[in-house]
Amino acid sequence: MRTLGRAGIEVSPVGFGCWAIGGPFSTPGGEPLGWGEVDDEESVRAIRRAVELGVTFFDTADVYGAGHSERVLGKALEGIRDQVVIATKWGNTFDEATRVMHHQDTSPEYVHKAVRASLERLNTDYVDLYQLHCDTTDEIALPLREACEELIREGLIRAYAWSTDTVHSAALFAQGEHCAAIQHEASVLHDAPAMFALCERENLASINRTPLGMGILGRRDEKTPATGADIRTLPPAWLRYFDEGGKPAAEWWEKVSAIRDVLQSDGRTLAQGALAWLWARSPRTVPIPGFRTVAQAEENARAVEFGPLNAAQLQQITELLQ
């Protein structure tokens, strides 16, 4: 088990990221923001199977699928809510009916509105970890940090965090009494030494999004590109691992090929090896790979059986990626 920093909340070493199970949603201009069509019943089965295999941490956001991910997660955890830890996020406005994300709302007033809407969709009385889901200035962020402290006092959340790749922003939220984690990008293809160091220094959990490189570290290759209403078919600038059309970008595919054998050592799959790298990288890491099927859920959950990579394997990967 790992701990959500100062909150002392124990979670499984691997969490499950619930962006993909939200299904399609888009910008007002129609650019895809989800991972394509999903089968909600399969999603529910996958979540319940994950719990059976020991997964206790599920991370979603109100905007994923324009509210749909939270609703599916709430349905799947009905009757077993007390066995799991739920993290969700706020900061983006959206329309559930049209499945369109509109704009950001970083007002303190919106925090109180957003958390209550998430509680209704998740079918729960509280959120374990509530996370700011957009970047903003110090002047705007400080009142949001205090709003989270108010939610703590109201009993609506147990701890809070910021989902950001900006170390300065993470450090600002870390000064809050009940800040417990930072969610940031990290994978064997994208190390984050400054963020790992901050989490160590401030006693925070490091929640790792895109631990499988949006699928390039496991389930997507040149023969199985992303299709349909999938963000990887028309990748925004920050989505570095895929070219337009959903195929892995050549420069990143070369890196995956270079380290594949090390990641697959000891009987691991490629995805399991990528998770093992993160566990070896820091004792504070909690990777949150996505999933859409029971088979993917089982593969992710069973990565724990292999444990982290060893020091020699870490060094070998570092040399291969130079």
Side-chain angles (χ1 to χ4, degrees), residues 92-110:
N92 297 285
T93 65
F94 53 90
D95 187 318
E96 282 201 61
T98 61
R99 291 205 171 193
V100 171
M101 183 183 81
H102 292 300
H103 54 80
Q104 294 181 350
D105 190 332
T106 52
S107 67
E109 295 77 17
Y110 186 65

Side-chain angles (χ1 to χ4, degrees), residues 37-58:
E37 297 294 336
V38 289
D39 179 340
D40 290 345
E41 293 306 315
E42 179 73 0
S43 298
V44 169
R45 288 191 292 270
I47 292 167
R48 288 186 169 268
R49 179 60 175 149
V51 174
E52 290 175 358
L53 292 172
V55 176
T56 65
F57 184 57
F58 295 88

Side-chain angles (χ1 to χ4, degrees), residues 13-41:
V14 62
F16 272 36
C18 299
W19 180 8
I21 65 168
F25 68 114
S26 69
T27 67
E31 293 87 359
L33 294 172
W35 291 56
E37 297 294 336
V38 289
D39 179 340
D40 290 345
E41 293 306 315

